[in-house]
Amino acid sequence: MSDQLGSFDKASRNESREAFCVPERLKQRADFLQAARGTRVHLSLFSLQAAKRPVPASSPDGRVAVDRVEADHSAGPFKPRIGLTVTKKTGGAVERNRIRRRLKEALRHAKALSTEPDTDYVIVARREALTVPFARLIADLETAVRKAGAQLKRPRGSTRQPDERPRKG
């Protein structure tokens, strides 16, 4: 009986995970540094860094090589990847891990997370992310991703927001 119940719990957990779109994770330092060179959105709970992944170069034999991983880009764009950074100045190990767990869960529950394909995102958390209501954490995450997406779509060198009008002077 307990075996059946345990397998049911695992199945229901897997179904709930599939209900939310969880992007892939950033794992290598070089990928975090690449995202740091991109656009930034600063909020009171965290900063979001975002950068488009470089287009892979094709090799002479027609295969597509990507940095350290070989993949076939012809099947479509790569999924977005998200990395979390919680520095030691935010608190001790317990606080840092709680912040990280809250952010991961907020990523899972952010239904309107409009991440761009072929884009890497890094969330640099602040201590305030530990104490705010969870709904606000999700809302700020959605806002930051939306702003970063708008900044990535703007042409390079353009500082004006799309909805800003030129000042009369």
Side-chain angles (χ1 to χ4, degrees):
M1 177 81 180
S2 65
D3 291 334
Q4 292 173 348
L5 185 59
S7 64
F8 175 74
D9 288 342
K10 288 179 186 174
S12 64
R13 272 187 270 149
N14 288 339
E15 287 174 14
S16 68
R17 283 187 180 148
E18 290 171 4
F20 302 107
C21 178
V22 179
E24 294 178 6
R25 288 178 45 205
L26 281 179
K27 297 178 185 176
Q28 298 190 354
R29 184 174 190 270
D31 296 331
F32 280 84
L33 295 175
Q34 176 70 29
R37 286 190 285 271
T39 185
R40 296 175 187 211
V41 176
H42 301 285
L43 297 174
S44 63
L45 304 178
F46 52 83
S47 292
L48 180 76
Q49 302 168 343
K52 285 282 188 187
R53 248 180 275 169
V55 177
S58 219
S59 62
D61 62 353
R63 291 177 21 167
V64 177
V66 178
D67 293 11
R68 294 159 301 280
V69 181
E70 290 200 8
D72 185 14
H73 201 270
S74 62
F78 289 117
K79 289 183 179 180
R81 298 185 299 179
I82 295 186
L84 299 173
T85 301
V86 186
T87 62
K88 285 187 176 181
K89 71 179 180 181
T90 58
V94 174
E95 289 90 2
R96 291 195 312 267
N97 286 330
R98 280 193 64 208
I99 292 169
R100 194 174 294 114
R101 283 194 307 267
R102 289 191 80 193
L103 285 170
K104 281 183 183 179
E105 195 64 18
L107 282 169
R108 276 183 9 92
H109 287 284
K111 293 178 183 175
L113 199 60
S114 56
T115 54
E116 297 288 322
D118 288 340
T119 305
D120 292 338
Y121 299 90
V122 174
I123 299 170
V124 182
R126 295 196 177 96
R127 187 166 178 82
E128 291 78 23
L130 185 61
T131 58
V132 297
F134 193 67
R136 179 168 169 225
L137 190 61
I138 293 171
D140 279 4
L141 188 60
E142 291 170 349
T143 300
V145 169
R146 189 175 56 252
K147 285 182 178 181
Q151 287 179 7
L152 287 170
K153 289 179 183 175
R154 269 198 315 239
R156 207 127 172 92
S158 172
T159 58
R160 205 178 71 140
Q161 295 290 332
D163 57 335
E164 274 185 30
R165 293 187 189 133
R167 293 184 185 177
K168 294 180 182 176

